[in-house]
Amino acid sequence: MSSNYLETLYPAWGQQFVIDEVLFEVNTGHQHLIIFNNAQWGTVMALDGVIQTTEKDEFVYHEMMVHVPMLSHGNAKKVLIIGGGDGGILREVLKHQNVESVTQVEIDQQVIDMCIQYLPNHSAGAYDNPKANIVIADGVDFVNECTEKFDVIISDSTDPMGPGEVLFTSRFYQGIKNCLNEDGVFVAQNGVSFLQTEEVTTTFKRLSPLFTEASFYCGAVPTYVGGIMTFAWATDNLALKNVSLETIEARYKAANLSTRFYTPAVHKGSFALPQYVMEAL
Ligand code: AG3
């Protein structure tokens, strides 16, 4: 007999998955981790009751979180990932040949280990790449104590509850400012804006005093239900958002990327925000 997995993100509504088989389930000490198979979405991974990634639609999120900042920057050599234990972000970053090193700071070793085992196509070998430097540590402490500088920083966190909560605080953003190169850019998952509107308001309020530009871009990830997700964007380099479509296209071609959601036109269009999001700023 099969059982169901009900996402518990919102108190009065949620999506439900038929579980064909539970592949792994544990309380890691940081959070509840479950990985299961579902006929519609393939292998699914959830943390603390919230769907984090599925085999079938992960490309939407990972491509948008990586190629928008990377191709806006155009020559990122040093990249920092906070979180991202399933390895999807690392995989996409390493597609950029100009990258010399990627540091990934994940708090939960078990998420990395279990995703390598049960979601192997997420990292697709990226954890074995000599350019990847994996640190098991608290992301907030790391960015505040770090003496290195990065060109692109990507925060692939859970939502602001449990271990992810600190990754939405001013102290974290101050640390980001501390280790971001002057012309670099920081991006972060910022929730589904229709249902988590407060996150848009709060993130904007906290990033604005620290960066010349605090803004958002968006994309629709099927299993992050409720409409578009916003990605926070913070930088002191005002030129990045205004890089022309032609330049993005040339960089995309030169990088020889193969993508399934991302296109240079999607990239440019993703900075157009719905009115209700702009009103939340
Ligand atoms: N991290 C972001 C999950 C966000 C889910 N939130 C939501 N539906 N409101 C996913 C990790 C993928 N590498």
Side-chain angles (χ1 to χ4, degrees):
M1 211 190 69
S2 62
S3 59
N4 290 339
Y5 184 83
L6 175 65
E7 186 175 47
T8 54
L9 183 53
Y10 308 108
W13 173 75
Q15 61 177 331
Q16 187 162 288
F17 294 73
V18 172
I19 299 178
D20 290 337
E21 186 190 358
V22 174
L23 299 173
F24 187 77
E25 185 171 14
V26 74
N27 279 306
T28 69
H30 294 286
Q31 52 205 341
H32 174 262
L33 162 66
I34 185 168
I35 304 177
F36 60 88
N37 279 335
N38 169 269
Q40 180 74 52
W41 298 102
T43 304
V44 179
M45 190 268 281
L47 293 170
D48 285 345
V50 181
I51 299 301
Q52 297 299 313
T53 194
T54 87
E55 252 182 325
K56 290 286 164 65
D57 72 342
E58 58 86 11
F59 67 94
V60 180
Y61 176 86
H62 293 127
E63 290 178 9
M64 287 302 281
M65 280 278 274
V66 172
H67 304 315
V68 173
M70 292 296 287
L71 293 175
S72 294
H73 186 285
N75 192 24
K77 295 198 175 349
K78 290 187 64 181
V79 178
L80 174 65
I81 301 166
I82 306 294
D86 56 70
I89 297 286
L90 184 62
R91 178 197 72 211
E92 291 300 314
V93 169
L94 286 167
K95 286 184 180 171
H96 294 262
Q97 301 296 323
N98 289 349
V99 167
E100 288 167 2
S101 73
V102 192
T103 302
Q104 176 168 352
V105 182
E106 164 63 56
I107 199 160
D108 199 337
Q109 175 85 55
Q110 259 197 306
V111 174
I112 296 184
D113 293 344
M114 291 307 114
C115 289
I116 289 175
Q117 187 164 347
Y118 295 110
L119 282 166
N121 296 331
H122 270 60
S123 51
Y127 284 117
D128 299 325
N129 190 306
K131 291 180 182 177
N133 165 32
I134 311 305
V135 182
I136 302 300
D138 179 292
V140 182
D141 291 344
F142 183 91
V143 292
N144 279 288
E145 287 158 17
C146 181
T147 50
E148 270 177 86
K149 302 267 185 208
F150 299 91
D151 302 310
V152 169
I153 303 179
I154 300 170
S155 175
D156 179 18
S157 70
T158 50
D159 287 358
M161 48 202 163
E165 195 170 355
V166 293
L167 302 179
F168 293 80
T169 58
S170 295
R171 188 168 126 75
F172 178 61
Y173 300 141
Q174 262 151 15
I176 295 294
K177 177 85 186 186
N178 166 56
C179 60
L180 185 66
N181 265 326
E182 257 170 45
D183 63 350
V185 61
F186 166 67
V187 301
Q189 84 85 0
N190 198 67
V192 170
S193 53
F194 187 82
L195 297 162
Q196 298 167 300
T197 316
E198 221 191 274
E199 262 184 58
V200 175
T201 311
T202 310
T203 300
F204 184 71
K205 218 188 267 164
R206 291 176 183 169
L207 285 173
S208 293
L210 296 170
F211 295 91
T212 315
E213 180 177 67
S215 172
F216 296 91
Y217 64 102
C218 56
V221 183
T223 55
Y224 302 158
V225 289
I228 57 160
M229 155 167 268
T230 52
F231 303 96
W233 166 276
T235 181
D236 289 328
N237 184 353
L238 291 175
L240 292 187
K241 205 160 92 176
N242 298 322
V243 175
S244 71
L245 177 59
E246 291 69 28
T247 302
I248 302 285
E249 273 169 347
R251 288 175 182 172
Y252 180 69
K253 268 208 189 114
N256 203 19
L257 297 173
S258 75
T259 54
R260 288 199 288 154
F261 185 84
Y262 177 95
T263 71
V266 165
H267 174 148
K268 289 300 285 179
S270 71
F271 286 100
L273 300 176
Q275 189 64 23
Y276 76 84
V277 174
M278 290 200 291
E279 279 167 12
L281 302 182

